[in-house]
Amino acid sequence: KMLRRLQLPSFFEKISKVLRISIVIIYGAFGLPIPFRQRLLYTVGDPIYPRYIQENVARPVDPEILKIQIDEMHSKYCNSLTNMFERHKESYGWGNKVLKLV
């Protein structure tokens, strides 16, 4: 966790409902709203190159062709992202997690 939340007495919940605001006290390093140190993990996948489209000024590119190519790139990206997640999830400690793209 980057910040911690201080548990307030229950009467603050009643005040919060009356005022229609959330009363939350968060704190981090040294009791200040500075986040605690958090280890950052990341990975970089292989580049995905789109097909080159020869655009002619006199004849614009057909929107159907563009839609097909966009869908193709999107599916390549999703597959690459899923493969990268499956390949590296053990090293992040996420062995039991499943990636769900919506």
Side-chain angles (χ1 to χ4, degrees), residues 53-68:
I53 301 173
Q54 179 85 27
E55 188 169 350
N56 188 345
V57 178
R59 193 184 75 207
V61 178
D62 184 23
E64 282 299 314
I65 293 173
L66 281 177
K67 182 173 179 3
I68 290 170

Side-chain angles (χ1 to χ4, degrees), residues 5 15 33 48-49 53 87 91 93 95:
R5 181 174 169 233
I15 293 172
I48 302 172
Y49 297 106
I53 301 173
R87 189 171 52 235
S91 59

Side-chain angles (χ1 to χ4, degrees), residues 2-3 7 9 12-13 18-19 22 24 26 29-30 32 37 43 45-46 49 52 59 61 64 76 84-85 96:
M2 293 183 67
L3 295 170
Q7 187 65 39
F12 276 102
E13 186 175 336
V18 169
L19 296 176
S22 296
V24 178
I26 57 172
F30 312 112
L32 299 171
R37 292 185 71 123
T43 183
D46 296 328
Y49 297 106
Y52 179 72
R59 193 184 75 207
V61 178
E64 282 299 314
K76 282 182 185 179
M84 192 168 40
F85 177 80
N96 60 341

Side-chain angles (χ1 to χ4, degrees), residues 57-91:
V57 178
R59 193 184 75 207
V61 178
D62 184 23
E64 282 299 314
I65 293 173
L66 281 177
K67 182 173 179 3
I68 290 170
Q69 290 179 343
I70 290 170
D71 290 342
E72 204 175 273
M73 287 299 297
H74 182 258
S75 98
K76 282 182 185 179
Y77 173 76
C78 290
N79 289 337
S80 177
L81 188 64
T82 304
N83 291 338
M84 192 168 40
F85 177 80
E86 293 298 327
R87 189 171 52 235
H88 296 288
K89 71 180 180 180
E90 291 293 332
S91 59

